[in-house]
Amino acid sequence: MGGGVDSHGHRLARPAIRHAKLKMLFVVIATNLVSVYLFSGASLSLNMPASAPSIHLWDSTALLRDLNATRDALSLARAELAFLRGQCGTSSLLLESVLAKLGAVHGDTPAVQDFNGWPEEPTGELKMAIEPHRLPLGYSVNFGTDELFPGLGLACRNFQEELTRYMTYNASAECPDDEALALQLMLKGCEPLPRRRCRPRSPARYVEPKPLPASLWSIPADTTVNWSPYTCKNYTCLVERAHSRGGSYDCKDCFDLAGKERRRWLSDNGGPGFSIDGVLGSRPPGTVRIGLDIGGGTGTFAARMRERNVTVVTTTLDLDAPFNRFVASRGLVPLHISLVQRLPFADGVLDIVHSMHVLTNSVPAAVLEFAFFDIYRVLRPGGVFWLDHFFCLGPQLNATYVPILDRVGFRRLRWKASPKLDLGAERNEWYVSALLEKPMA
């Protein structure tokens, strides 16, 4: 009987204990009363300013109605803001015009003008293609703007003379014969190019391609191509390049489908590369279904994959030969983009990405790193990157390229480094082939 004992052996007074118990009892009673009140359906009234919106904590219909009203008001405010922004832009242009005329009256020297980043004011078709266009229905929540901006390469600003020449044509008529100019702009980084309102000329006496599967290994008719941009004027000339000495050609023997091209990726005989069947055999059956071949030339890798029920898109450029048309004539899908463009695929959608003789030490290391990260992006978890015949010098391999691949985060499945000896061992040149997996997690 009696109170507790403190640390010094003294008894605690009864009133202190009784006071603590009363506090606990009060907290329990207050908590129960609040709970009964809240769950009894009574509305909770708060002293809010008159301008504040009402809040319905337990009425979901009213809450949804308020949220919709708020969203509509926000959309209206955004539309009004866009309208005011347009009016401000118009007023700014008028003010600049007035100031320019006043300056001319007073004999002022006009300052160098910058037309939204362009050294000269775009006109005609170029202006129509690159300027933003108002959305017919006004502000769009999806776009986040009331204007539609065209896609245009940043480097296009640096080559306005060439771009103006490219965009000078008769609208609704036949396009100029300027494929070489378009490719030149793309290689300079002016990509994507603006769209044009003209029709490219179709080849005379066009012949439809052969049906599958015969088209995979057939040379198409010469009349499927407009040959004016190219040195060769028929496919026979392109095929014979493989047997000619000298000459600097991109993918010299690619068009000879009966020669070396027919034997590619069929065997894994200890050389610097892998076979397609060996790579597919390293994955669970049927899990490699769709993919991309970067810099695939005439599409032979995609043709081999199609024979194995795998759909592969081939990126290729028409460097002095109709690579894209040749790939399409084989019943395959060509993609006309340069190495520096972001791959036009969503994240995590491809089973395999392959590249041979394109991603090499001739590409700046920073560009390569961006490309490798982009490849990682488009691969699904468990997808593989087949880096085929990557060329570099011995000191570059461990000092530059292996660290880049490690930073990207691939997991090595196969790795094969082989010296390139055709020009002499003293050059210390190497080929690397690697099968790299994007981790599952």
Side-chain angles (χ1 to χ4, degrees), residues 136-362:
L137 302 180
Y139 181 86
S140 168
V141 176
N142 292 330
F143 293 162
T145 179
D146 63 336
E147 296 177 313
L148 186 62
F149 293 82
L152 190 69
L154 177 64
C156 292
R157 300 178 186 272
N158 301 327
F159 306 103
Q160 187 171 354
E161 181 180 347
E162 293 97 322
L163 187 62
T164 300
R165 184 151 42 99
Y166 175 73
M167 292 301 294
T168 301
Y169 60 91
N170 295 323
S172 301
E174 187 177 279
C175 295
D177 192 5
D178 57 359
E179 286 188 42
L181 175 60
L183 180 60
Q184 185 183 60
L185 282 166
M186 289 178 61
L187 293 176
K188 288 180 177 179
C190 181
E191 184 185 19
L193 284 169
R195 285 174 167 169
R196 299 197 295 189
R197 298 187 299 165
C198 59
R199 294 180 292 274
R201 180 170 58 90
S202 298
R205 303 184 304 279
Y206 179 82
V207 177
E208 290 190 348
K210 294 182 179 179
L212 286 165
S215 63
L216 288 177
W217 299 101
S218 299
I219 303 295
D222 293 334
T223 55
T224 59
V225 177
N226 292 321
W227 293 94
S228 57
Y230 313 118
T231 303
C232 279
K233 303 304 178 184
N234 52 59
Y235 278 121
T236 301
C237 173
L238 291 175
V239 172
E240 289 178 350
R241 280 182 177 178
H243 311 290
S244 63
R245 293 184 177 181
S248 178
Y249 306 110
D250 188 73
C251 202
K252 183 177 179 179
D253 53 4
C254 284
F255 291 91
D256 185 13
L257 299 185
K260 183 178 179 181
E261 194 75 358
R262 189 68 183 245
R263 301 187 296 272
R264 291 191 193 276
W265 301 291
L266 290 183
S267 62
D268 187 354
N269 54 10
F274 307 138
S275 70
I276 282 181
D277 291 329
V279 169
L280 294 179
S282 68
R283 317 308 297 156
T287 60
V288 178
R289 307 152 301 153
I290 54 175
L292 173 70
D293 187 18
I294 299 176
T298 56
T300 296
F301 179 83
R304 287 293 181 205
M305 283 294 200
R306 186 182 182 101
E307 292 173 335
R308 292 154 176 80
N309 296 319
V310 180
T311 300
V312 169
V313 175
T314 301
T315 75
T316 188
L317 291 174
D318 293 335
L319 294 168
D320 198 29
F323 286 95
N324 278 269
R325 291 171 184 80
F326 192 84
V327 171
S329 72
R330 300 178 74 175
L332 307 169
V333 181
L335 194 61
H336 194 242
I337 62 171
S338 66
L339 183 61
V340 295
Q341 183 175 342
R342 185 178 189 263
L343 295 173
F345 300 97
D347 296 359
V349 296
L350 299 181
D351 301 318
I352 187 169
V353 174
H354 172 266
S355 182
M356 177 177 176
H357 290 318
V358 174
L359 301 176
T360 69
N361 69 343
S362 63

